[in-house]
Amino acid sequence: GVFDHGNAPANISDRKFRFDYLDERIRASNRLSAYACRGEDVPASMTRLQAVVASAQDIDFPLVVMDTAPAAVLGATLDPRVAARKRVIITNVGNFHTLAFRLGPSGIEGLFEHHTGMLDAGKLESLLLSLADGTIRGEDVFNDEGHGALMYDPTPLTLGEGDYDVVITGPRRNMFTPAEVGFQQLRLRPYFATPFGDMMITGCFGLLAATGEVLPELAEPIQSSLHQDVGSGVAPWDTD
């Protein structure tokens, strides 16, 4: 898994280039695994992913590479409390970038990406609320030095139901904990995803799930290991 801005042409913002890539992948196949591919299929412009492929060229096995943030979001969907929702917002708060997806029965309904260093809990909540109600605007995020936002289905996502509003994962997920929020009064109730009982390798679970789609010959053992005994806390590679 690699976060890749891509090699933007000299006349195009690398933020826009990255976000255009996210959009292209969704329009090609509206699912999180669209951000994964075999090593030989990595676009030439994705130089970091290409570097991973080059580093493994002498190893005789299939190579699957994937963007890190969608991998983490896909991994979070394997948490049984997340999987129980038909529509949900999942946010990966990374060290340098925060990427949030709104997911529904038809796939990805919307997303935004911003720089984590420019966010605090209140600002992140504002973005998540506008993603939920379908009013988020790409130009607003871009003009705030973020990457952008897209809505494919503007139908509002109702909040305040169930025991949480948004799912949070990523190394800087503590941005939404009471100790970090402090005096700020937030509307959103977060749930910190723990697929198979381990929030630290959520992205690994997502990459494994995507591999089952990218390499159909491995789909059956991967899918059976990911979906048997859901909620047991046993990692897929430890199942019999």
Coordinates of all heavy atoms in Angstrom, one line a residue, residues 12-102:
I12 N -0.2 21.5 -14.0 CA -1.3 21.0 -13.3 C -0.9 20.8 -11.8 O 0.1 20.3 -11.5 CB -1.9 19.7 -13.8 CG1 -2.4 19.8 -15.3 CG2 -3.0 19.1 -13.0 CD1 -2.9 18.6 -15.9
S13 N -1.8 21.3 -10.9 CA -1.6 21.2 -9.5 C -1.5 19.7 -9.1 O -2.3 18.9 -9.6 CB -2.7 21.8 -8.7 OG -2.8 21.3 -7.4
D14 N -0.5 19.3 -8.3 CA -0.4 17.9 -7.9 C -1.6 17.5 -7.0 O -2.0 16.4 -7.0 CB 0.9 17.6 -7.2 CG 1.1 18.4 -5.8 OD1 0.3 19.3 -5.6 OD2 2.0 18.0 -5.1
R15 N -2.2 18.5 -6.3 CA -3.4 18.2 -5.6 C -4.6 17.9 -6.5 O -5.3 16.9 -6.3 CB -3.8 19.4 -4.7 CG -2.8 19.6 -3.5 CD -3.3 20.8 -2.7 NE -3.2 22.1 -3.4 CZ -4.1 23.0 -3.4 NH1 -5.3 22.8 -2.9 NH2 -3.9 24.2 -4.0
K16 N -4.7 18.6 -7.6 CA -5.8 18.3 -8.5 C -5.5 17.0 -9.3 O -6.4 16.3 -9.5 CB -5.9 19.5 -9.5 CG -7.1 19.3 -10.5 CD -7.2 20.5 -11.5 CE -8.4 20.4 -12.3 NZ -8.5 19.1 -13.1
F17 N -4.3 16.8 -9.6 CA -3.9 15.6 -10.3 C -4.2 14.4 -9.5 O -4.8 13.4 -10.0 CB -2.4 15.6 -10.7 CG -2.0 14.5 -11.6 CD1 -2.2 14.7 -13.0 CD2 -1.4 13.4 -11.1 CE1 -1.8 13.7 -13.9 CE2 -1.0 12.4 -12.0 CZ -1.2 12.5 -13.4
R18 N -3.9 14.4 -8.2 CA -4.2 13.3 -7.3 C -5.7 13.1 -7.2 O -6.2 12.0 -7.3 CB -3.6 13.6 -5.9 CG -4.3 13.0 -4.7 CD -3.9 11.6 -4.5 NE -4.5 11.0 -3.3 CZ -4.4 9.8 -2.9 NH1 -3.7 8.9 -3.6 NH2 -5.0 9.4 -1.8
F19 N -6.5 14.2 -7.1 CA -7.9 14.0 -6.9 C -8.6 13.6 -8.2 O -9.6 12.8 -8.2 CB -8.5 15.3 -6.4 CG -9.8 15.1 -5.6 CD1 -9.7 14.5 -4.3 CD2 -11.0 15.4 -6.0 CE1 -10.8 14.2 -3.6 CE2 -12.2 15.1 -5.3 CZ -12.0 14.5 -4.0
D20 N -8.1 14.0 -9.3 CA -8.6 13.6 -10.6 C -8.4 12.1 -10.8 O -9.3 11.4 -11.3 CB -7.9 14.3 -11.8 CG -8.4 15.7 -12.0 OD1 -9.4 16.1 -11.4 OD2 -7.8 16.5 -12.7
Y21 N -7.3 11.6 -10.2 CA -7.0 10.1 -10.3 C -8.1 9.4 -9.4 O -8.6 8.4 -9.8 CB -5.6 9.9 -9.8 CG -5.3 8.4 -9.5 CD1 -5.1 7.5 -10.6 CD2 -5.2 7.9 -8.2 CE1 -4.8 6.2 -10.4 CE2 -5.0 6.6 -8.0 CZ -4.8 5.7 -9.1 OH -4.5 4.4 -8.8
L22 N -8.4 9.9 -8.2 CA -9.4 9.3 -7.4 C -10.7 9.2 -8.1 O -11.4 8.2 -8.1 CB -9.5 10.1 -6.1 CG -8.3 10.1 -5.1 CD1 -8.6 10.9 -3.9 CD2 -7.8 8.7 -4.8
D23 N -11.1 10.3 -8.8 CA -12.3 10.4 -9.5 C -12.4 9.4 -10.7 O -13.4 8.7 -10.9 CB -12.5 11.8 -10.0 CG -13.8 12.0 -10.7 OD1 -14.8 11.4 -10.4 OD2 -13.9 12.9 -11.7
E24 N -11.3 9.3 -11.4 CA -11.2 8.4 -12.5 C -11.4 7.0 -12.1 O -12.1 6.2 -12.8 CB -9.9 8.6 -13.3 CG -9.7 9.9 -14.0 CD -8.3 10.1 -14.4 OE1 -7.4 9.2 -14.2 OE2 -8.0 11.2 -15.0
R25 N -10.8 6.6 -11.0 CA -10.9 5.2 -10.6 C -12.4 4.9 -10.2 O -12.9 3.8 -10.5 CB -10.0 4.9 -9.4 CG -8.5 5.1 -9.7 CD -8.1 4.4 -10.9 NE -8.3 3.0 -10.8 CZ -8.3 2.2 -11.8 NH1 -8.0 2.6 -13.0 NH2 -8.5 0.9 -11.7
I26 N -13.1 5.8 -9.5 CA -14.4 5.6 -9.1 C -15.3 5.5 -10.4 O -16.2 4.6 -10.4 CB -14.9 6.7 -8.2 CG1 -14.2 6.7 -6.9 CG2 -16.4 6.6 -7.9 CD1 -14.5 7.9 -6.0
R27 N -15.1 6.4 -11.3 CA -16.0 6.3 -12.5 C -15.7 5.1 -13.4 O -16.6 4.6 -14.1 CB -15.7 7.6 -13.4 CG -16.2 8.9 -12.7 CD -16.0 10.1 -13.5 NE -16.4 11.3 -12.8 CZ -17.6 11.7 -12.5 NH1 -18.6 11.1 -13.0 NH2 -17.8 12.8 -11.8
A28 N -14.5 4.5 -13.2 CA -14.2 3.3 -13.9 C -14.9 2.1 -13.3 O -15.3 1.1 -13.9 CB -12.7 3.0 -14.0
S29 N -14.9 2.1 -11.9 CA -15.5 1.0 -11.1 C -15.8 1.5 -9.7 O -14.9 1.7 -8.9 CB -14.5 -0.2 -11.0 OG -15.0 -1.3 -10.3
N30 N -17.1 1.7 -9.5 CA -17.5 2.4 -8.2 C -17.4 1.4 -7.0 O -18.4 0.9 -6.5 CB -18.9 2.9 -8.4 CG -19.2 3.9 -7.2 OD1 -18.7 3.7 -6.1 ND2 -20.1 4.8 -7.5
R31 N -16.2 1.2 -6.6 CA -15.9 0.4 -5.4 C -14.5 0.7 -4.9 O -13.7 1.2 -5.7 CB -16.0 -1.1 -5.7 CG -15.2 -1.5 -6.9 CD -15.4 -3.0 -7.3 NE -14.5 -3.4 -8.4 CZ -14.4 -4.6 -8.9 NH1 -15.1 -5.6 -8.3 NH2 -13.6 -4.9 -9.8
L32 N -14.3 0.5 -3.6 CA -13.0 0.8 -3.0 C -11.9 0.0 -3.6 O -10.7 0.5 -3.7 CB -13.1 0.6 -1.5 CG -14.0 1.6 -0.8 CD1 -14.2 1.2 0.7 CD2 -13.3 3.0 -0.8
S33 N -12.1 -1.2 -4.0 CA -11.1 -2.0 -4.6 C -10.6 -1.5 -6.0 O -9.6 -2.0 -6.5 CB -11.5 -3.5 -4.7 OG -12.7 -3.6 -5.6
A34 N -11.3 -0.5 -6.5 CA -10.8 0.1 -7.8 C -9.5 0.8 -7.6 O -8.8 1.0 -8.6 CB -11.9 1.1 -8.2
Y35 N -9.1 1.0 -6.3 CA -7.8 1.7 -6.1 C -6.7 0.6 -5.9 O -5.6 1.0 -5.5 CB -7.9 2.5 -4.8 CG -8.8 3.7 -5.0 CD1 -10.1 3.7 -4.4 CD2 -8.5 4.8 -5.8 CE1 -11.0 4.7 -4.6 CE2 -9.4 5.8 -6.0 CZ -10.6 5.8 -5.4 OH -11.5 6.8 -5.6
A36 N -7.0 -0.6 -6.2 CA -6.0 -1.7 -6.2 C -5.8 -2.2 -7.6 O -6.7 -2.2 -8.4 CB -6.4 -2.8 -5.3
C37 N -4.6 -2.7 -7.9 CA -4.4 -3.3 -9.2 C -3.2 -4.2 -9.2 O -2.4 -4.1 -8.3 CB -4.2 -2.2 -10.3 SG -2.8 -1.1 -10.1
R38 N -3.1 -5.0 -10.2 CA -1.9 -5.9 -10.3 C -0.7 -4.9 -10.6 O -0.8 -3.9 -11.2 CB -2.0 -6.8 -11.5 CG -3.1 -7.9 -11.2 CD -3.2 -8.8 -12.5 NE -4.2 -9.9 -12.3 CZ -3.8 -11.1 -12.1 NH1 -2.5 -11.4 -12.0 NH2 -4.7 -12.1 -11.9
G39 N 0.5 -5.4 -10.3 CA 1.7 -4.6 -10.5 C 1.9 -4.1 -11.9 O 2.2 -3.0 -12.2
E40 N 1.6 -5.0 -12.9 CA 1.8 -4.7 -14.3 C 0.7 -3.7 -14.8 O 0.9 -3.2 -15.9 CB 1.7 -6.0 -15.1 CG 0.5 -6.8 -15.1 CD 0.4 -7.8 -14.0 OE1 1.2 -7.7 -13.0 OE2 -0.3 -8.8 -14.2
D41 N -0.3 -3.4 -14.0 CA -1.4 -2.5 -14.5 C -1.3 -1.1 -13.8 O -2.2 -0.3 -14.1 CB -2.7 -3.1 -14.2 CG -3.0 -4.4 -15.0 OD1 -2.4 -4.5 -16.1 OD2 -3.7 -5.3 -14.5
V42 N -0.2 -0.8 -13.1 CA -0.1 0.5 -12.4 C 0.1 1.5 -13.5 O 0.9 1.4 -14.4 CB 1.1 0.5 -11.5 CG1 1.3 1.9 -10.9 CG2 0.9 -0.5 -10.3
P43 N -0.7 2.6 -13.4 CA -0.5 3.7 -14.4 C 0.9 4.3 -14.3 O 1.5 4.4 -13.3 CB -1.6 4.7 -14.0 CG -2.6 4.0 -13.2 CD -1.9 2.9 -12.5
A44 N 1.4 4.7 -15.5 CA 2.8 5.2 -15.5 C 2.9 6.5 -14.7 O 4.0 6.7 -14.1 CB 3.1 5.5 -17.0
S45 N 1.8 7.2 -14.5 CA 1.9 8.5 -13.7 C 2.0 8.2 -12.2 O 2.4 9.2 -11.5 CB 0.7 9.3 -14.0 OG -0.5 8.7 -13.7
M46 N 1.7 7.0 -11.8 CA 1.7 6.7 -10.3 C 3.1 6.2 -10.0 O 3.4 5.0 -9.9 CB 0.7 5.7 -10.0 CG -0.8 6.2 -10.1 SD -1.2 7.5 -9.0 CE -1.3 8.9 -10.1
T47 N 4.0 7.2 -9.8 CA 5.5 6.8 -9.7 C 5.8 6.1 -8.4 O 6.8 5.3 -8.4 CB 6.3 8.1 -9.8 OG1 5.8 9.1 -8.9 CG2 6.2 8.7 -11.2
R48 N 5.2 6.4 -7.3 CA 5.5 5.7 -6.0 C 5.0 4.3 -6.1 O 5.7 3.3 -5.7 CB 4.8 6.4 -4.8 CG 5.4 7.8 -4.5 CD 4.6 8.4 -3.4 NE 5.1 9.8 -3.2 CZ 4.6 10.7 -2.3 NH1 3.5 10.3 -1.6 NH2 5.1 11.9 -2.2
L49 N 3.8 4.0 -6.7 CA 3.4 2.7 -6.9 C 4.3 1.9 -7.9 O 4.6 0.7 -7.7 CB 1.9 2.7 -7.4 CG 0.9 3.1 -6.4 CD1 -0.5 3.3 -7.1 CD2 0.7 2.1 -5.3
Q50 N 4.7 2.6 -8.9 CA 5.7 2.0 -9.9 C 7.0 1.7 -9.2 O 7.6 0.6 -9.5 CB 6.0 3.0 -11.0 CG 4.8 3.2 -12.0 CD 4.7 2.1 -13.0 OE1 5.5 1.1 -12.9 NE2 3.8 2.2 -13.9
A51 N 7.4 2.5 -8.2 CA 8.7 2.2 -7.5 C 8.5 0.9 -6.7 O 9.5 0.1 -6.6 CB 9.0 3.3 -6.6
V52 N 7.3 0.7 -6.1 CA 7.1 -0.6 -5.3 C 7.2 -1.8 -6.3 O 7.8 -2.8 -6.0 CB 5.7 -0.6 -4.6 CG1 5.4 -1.9 -4.1 CG2 5.7 0.5 -3.6
V53 N 6.5 -1.6 -7.5 CA 6.6 -2.7 -8.5 C 8.0 -3.0 -8.9 O 8.4 -4.2 -8.9 CB 5.7 -2.3 -9.7 CG1 5.9 -3.4 -10.8 CG2 4.3 -2.2 -9.3
A54 N 8.8 -2.0 -9.1 CA 10.2 -2.1 -9.5 C 11.0 -2.9 -8.5 O 11.9 -3.7 -8.8 CB 10.8 -0.8 -9.9
S55 N 10.7 -2.5 -7.2 CA 11.5 -3.2 -6.1 C 11.2 -4.6 -6.0 O 12.0 -5.4 -5.3 CB 11.1 -2.4 -4.8 OG 9.8 -2.8 -4.3
A56 N 10.1 -5.1 -6.5 CA 9.7 -6.5 -6.4 C 9.8 -7.3 -7.7 O 9.3 -8.4 -7.8 CB 8.3 -6.6 -5.9
Q57 N 10.5 -6.7 -8.7 CA 10.5 -7.3 -10.0 C 11.2 -8.7 -10.1 O 10.9 -9.5 -11.0 CB 11.1 -6.4 -11.0 CG 12.6 -6.0 -10.7 CD 13.1 -5.0 -11.7 OE1 12.5 -4.7 -12.7 NE2 14.3 -4.5 -11.4
D58 N 12.1 -9.0 -9.1 CA 12.8 -10.2 -9.1 C 12.1 -11.3 -8.3 O 12.6 -12.4 -8.1 CB 14.2 -10.0 -8.6 CG 15.0 -9.1 -9.6 OD1 14.8 -9.2 -10.8 OD2 15.9 -8.4 -9.1
I59 N 10.9 -11.0 -7.7 CA 10.2 -11.9 -6.9 C 9.1 -12.6 -7.7 O 8.3 -11.9 -8.3 CB 9.6 -11.2 -5.6 CG1 10.8 -10.5 -4.9 CG2 8.9 -12.2 -4.8 CD1 10.3 -9.7 -3.7
D60 N 9.1 -13.9 -7.7 CA 8.2 -14.7 -8.5 C 6.8 -14.9 -7.8 O 6.5 -16.0 -7.4 CB 8.8 -16.0 -8.9 CG 8.0 -16.7 -10.0 OD1 7.2 -16.1 -10.6 OD2 8.1 -18.0 -10.1
F61 N 6.0 -13.9 -7.7 CA 4.6 -14.0 -7.2 C 3.8 -12.9 -7.7 O 4.4 -11.8 -8.1 CB 4.6 -14.2 -5.7 CG 5.1 -13.0 -5.0 CD1 4.5 -11.8 -4.9 CD2 6.4 -13.1 -4.3 CE1 5.0 -10.7 -4.2 CE2 6.9 -12.1 -3.6 CZ 6.2 -10.9 -3.5
P62 N 2.5 -13.0 -7.8 CA 1.7 -11.9 -8.2 C 1.8 -10.7 -7.2 O 1.8 -10.9 -6.0 CB 0.2 -12.4 -8.2 CG 0.4 -13.9 -8.2 CD 1.7 -14.2 -7.5
L63 N 1.8 -9.5 -7.7 CA 1.9 -8.3 -6.9 C 0.7 -7.5 -7.0 O 0.3 -7.2 -8.1 CB 3.2 -7.5 -7.3 CG 3.4 -6.2 -6.5 CD1 3.7 -6.5 -5.1 CD2 4.5 -5.4 -7.2
V64 N 0.1 -7.1 -5.9 CA -1.1 -6.2 -5.9 C -0.7 -5.0 -5.1 O -0.1 -5.1 -4.0 CB -2.3 -6.9 -5.2 CG1 -3.4 -5.9 -5.1 CG2 -2.8 -8.1 -6.1
V65 N -0.9 -3.8 -5.7 CA -0.6 -2.6 -5.0 C -1.9 -1.7 -4.9 O -2.8 -1.9 -5.7 CB 0.5 -1.7 -5.7 CG1 1.8 -2.4 -5.6 CG2 0.1 -1.5 -7.2
M66 N -2.0 -0.9 -3.9 CA -3.2 -0.1 -3.6 C -2.9 1.2 -2.9 O -1.9 1.3 -2.1 CB -4.2 -1.0 -2.7 CG -5.5 -0.4 -2.5 SD -6.6 -1.5 -1.6 CE -8.2 -0.7 -1.7
D67 N -3.7 2.2 -3.1 CA -3.6 3.4 -2.4 C -4.0 3.2 -0.9 O -4.9 2.4 -0.6 CB -4.6 4.5 -3.0 CG -4.3 5.8 -2.5 OD1 -4.9 6.2 -1.4 OD2 -3.6 6.6 -3.1
T68 N -3.2 3.8 0.0 CA -3.3 3.4 1.4 C -4.6 3.8 2.0 O -5.2 3.1 2.8 CB -2.2 4.1 2.2 OG1 -2.1 5.5 1.8 CG2 -0.8 3.4 1.9
A69 N -5.1 5.0 1.7 CA -6.4 5.5 2.4 C -7.6 4.7 2.0 O -8.3 4.2 2.9 CB -6.6 7.0 2.1
P70 N -7.8 4.4 0.7 CA -8.9 3.5 0.4 C -8.8 2.1 1.0 O -9.8 1.4 1.3 CB -8.9 3.5 -1.1 CG -8.3 4.8 -1.5 CD -7.3 5.0 -0.5
A71 N -7.5 1.6 1.1 CA -7.3 0.3 1.7 C -7.8 0.4 3.2 O -8.4 -0.6 3.7 CB -5.8 0.0 1.7
A72 N -7.4 1.4 3.9 CA -7.9 1.5 5.3 C -9.4 1.6 5.4 O -10.0 1.0 6.3 CB -7.2 2.8 6.0
V73 N -10.0 2.4 4.5 CA -11.5 2.5 4.5 C -12.1 1.1 4.2 O -13.1 0.7 4.9 CB -11.9 3.6 3.6 CG1 -13.4 3.6 3.4 CG2 -11.4 5.0 4.0
L74 N -11.6 0.4 3.2 CA -12.1 -0.9 2.9 C -11.9 -1.8 4.1 O -12.8 -2.6 4.4 CB -11.4 -1.4 1.7 CG -11.8 -2.8 1.2 CD1 -13.3 -2.9 1.0 CD2 -11.1 -3.2 -0.1
G75 N -10.8 -1.8 4.8 CA -10.6 -2.6 5.9 C -11.6 -2.3 7.0 O -12.0 -3.2 7.7
A76 N -11.9 -1.0 7.2 CA -12.9 -0.6 8.3 C -14.2 -1.2 8.0 O -15.0 -1.5 8.9 CB -12.9 0.9 8.4
T77 N -14.6 -1.5 6.7 CA -15.9 -2.0 6.4 C -16.0 -3.5 6.9 O -17.1 -4.0 7.0 CB -16.2 -2.0 4.9 OG1 -15.3 -2.9 4.2 CG2 -16.1 -0.6 4.4
L78 N -14.9 -4.1 7.3 CA -14.9 -5.5 7.8 C -15.2 -5.6 9.3 O -15.5 -6.6 9.8 CB -13.6 -6.2 7.5 CG -13.2 -6.3 6.0 CD1 -11.8 -6.7 5.8 CD2 -14.2 -7.2 5.3
D79 N -15.3 -4.4 9.9 CA -15.7 -4.4 11.3 C -17.2 -4.7 11.3 O -18.0 -4.1 10.6 CB -15.5 -3.0 11.9 CG -15.9 -2.9 13.4 OD1 -17.0 -3.2 13.7 OD2 -15.0 -2.4 14.2
P80 N -17.7 -5.6 12.1 CA -19.1 -6.0 12.0 C -20.1 -4.9 12.3 O -21.2 -4.8 11.7 CB -19.3 -7.1 13.1 CG -18.0 -7.1 13.9 CD -17.0 -6.5 13.0
R81 N -19.7 -3.9 13.2 CA -20.6 -2.8 13.4 C -20.7 -1.9 12.2 O -21.7 -1.2 12.0 CB -20.1 -2.0 14.7 CG -20.4 -2.8 16.0 CD -19.8 -2.0 17.2 NE -20.6 -0.8 17.4 CZ -20.2 0.1 18.4 NH1 -19.2 -0.2 19.1 NH2 -20.9 1.2 18.5
V82 N -19.6 -1.8 11.5 CA -19.6 -1.0 10.2 C -20.4 -1.7 9.1 O -21.2 -1.1 8.4 CB -18.2 -0.6 9.8 CG1 -18.2 0.2 8.6 CG2 -17.5 0.1 10.9
A83 N -20.1 -3.0 9.0 CA -20.7 -3.8 7.9 C -22.3 -3.8 8.1 O -23.0 -4.0 7.1 CB -20.2 -5.2 8.0
A84 N -22.8 -3.6 9.3 CA -24.2 -3.7 9.5 C -24.9 -2.5 9.0 O -26.2 -2.5 8.8 CB -24.5 -3.8 11.0
R85 N -24.2 -1.4 8.6 CA -24.8 -0.2 8.1 C -24.9 -0.3 6.6 O -24.0 -0.6 5.9 CB -24.0 1.1 8.5 CG -23.9 1.4 10.0 CD -25.2 2.1 10.4 NE -25.2 2.5 11.8 CZ -24.8 3.8 12.2 NH1 -24.5 4.7 11.3 NH2 -24.8 4.0 13.5
K86 N -26.1 0.1 6.0 CA -26.3 0.2 4.6 C -25.6 1.4 4.0 O -25.1 1.4 2.9 CB -27.8 0.2 4.2 CG -28.5 -1.2 4.5 CD -29.9 -1.1 4.1 CE -30.6 -2.4 4.3 NZ -32.0 -2.4 3.9
R87 N -25.6 2.5 4.8 CA -24.9 3.7 4.3 C -24.1 4.2 5.5 O -24.5 4.2 6.6 CB -25.9 4.8 3.9 CG -26.8 4.4 2.8 CD -27.8 5.5 2.4 NE -27.2 6.6 1.8 CZ -27.7 7.8 1.8 NH1 -28.8 8.1 2.5 NH2 -27.1 8.8 1.2
V88 N -22.9 4.7 5.2 CA -21.9 5.0 6.3 C -20.9 5.9 5.7 O -20.5 5.9 4.6 CB -21.3 3.7 6.9 CG1 -20.4 3.0 5.9 CG2 -20.6 4.0 8.2
I89 N -20.3 6.8 6.6 CA -19.2 7.6 6.3 C -18.0 7.0 7.1 O -18.1 6.8 8.3 CB -19.4 9.1 6.7 CG1 -20.4 9.7 5.8 CG2 -18.1 9.8 6.6 CD1 -20.7 11.2 6.2
I90 N -16.9 6.8 6.3 CA -15.7 6.2 6.9 C -14.5 7.2 6.6 O -14.3 7.6 5.4 CB -15.3 4.8 6.4 CG1 -16.5 3.9 6.7 CG2 -14.1 4.3 7.2 CD1 -16.3 2.5 6.1
T91 N -13.8 7.6 7.6 CA -12.8 8.6 7.5 C -11.4 8.0 7.9 O -11.3 7.5 9.0 CB -13.0 9.8 8.3 OG1 -14.4 10.3 8.1 CG2 -12.0 10.9 8.1
N92 N -10.4 8.1 7.0 CA -9.1 7.7 7.4 C -8.3 9.0 7.7 O -8.0 9.8 6.8 CB -8.4 6.9 6.3 CG -7.0 6.5 6.6 OD1 -6.8 5.6 7.5 ND2 -6.0 7.1 6.0
V93 N -8.0 9.2 9.0 CA -7.2 10.4 9.4 C -5.7 10.0 9.3 O -5.2 9.4 10.3 CB -7.6 10.9 10.7 CG1 -7.0 12.2 11.1 CG2 -9.2 11.0 10.8
G94 N -5.1 10.2 8.2 CA -3.7 9.8 8.1 C -2.7 10.9 8.6 O -3.1 12.0 9.1
N95 N -1.4 10.5 8.6 CA -0.4 11.4 9.1 C -0.4 12.8 8.4 O -0.2 13.8 9.0 CB 0.9 10.8 9.1 CG 1.1 9.7 10.1 OD1 0.7 9.9 11.3 ND2 1.7 8.6 9.8
F96 N -0.6 12.7 7.0 CA -0.5 13.9 6.2 C -1.8 14.2 5.5 O -2.0 15.3 5.1 CB 0.7 13.8 5.3 CG 2.0 13.7 5.9 CD1 2.7 12.4 6.0 CD2 2.6 14.8 6.5 CE1 3.9 12.3 6.7 CE2 3.8 14.7 7.1 CZ 4.5 13.4 7.2
H97 N -2.6 13.2 5.2 CA -3.8 13.4 4.4 C -5.0 12.7 5.1 O -4.8 11.6 5.7 CB -3.7 12.8 3.0 CG -2.6 13.5 2.2 ND1 -1.3 13.1 2.3 CD2 -2.7 14.5 1.3 CE1 -0.6 13.9 1.4 NE2 -1.4 14.7 0.8
T98 N -6.1 13.3 5.0 CA -7.4 12.8 5.6 C -8.3 12.6 4.4 O -8.6 13.5 3.6 CB -8.0 13.7 6.6 OG1 -7.2 13.8 7.8 CG2 -9.4 13.2 7.0
L99 N -8.8 11.3 4.2 CA -9.7 11.0 3.1 C -10.9 10.3 3.7 O -10.8 9.4 4.5 CB -9.0 10.0 2.2 CG -9.8 9.5 0.9 CD1 -10.2 10.7 0.1 CD2 -8.9 8.6 0.1
A100 N -12.1 10.9 3.4 CA -13.4 10.4 3.9 C -14.2 9.9 2.7 O -14.3 10.6 1.7 CB -14.1 11.4 4.6
F101 N -14.8 8.8 2.8 CA -15.8 8.2 1.8 C -17.2 8.1 2.4 O -17.3 7.7 3.6 CB -15.3 6.8 1.4 CG -14.2 6.8 0.4 CD1 -12.9 6.7 0.9 CD2 -14.4 6.9 -1.0 CE1 -11.8 6.6 0.0 CE2 -13.3 6.9 -1.8 CZ -12.0 6.7 -1.3
R102 N -18.2 8.4 1.7 CA -19.5 8.1 2.0 C -20.0 7.0 1.2 O -20.0 7.1 -0.1 CB -20.5 9.3 1.8 CG -21.8 9.2 2.6 CD -22.7 10.4 2.4 NE -23.5 10.2 1.2 CZ -24.3 11.1 0.7 NH1 -24.4 12.3 1.2 NH2 -25.0 10.8 -0.4

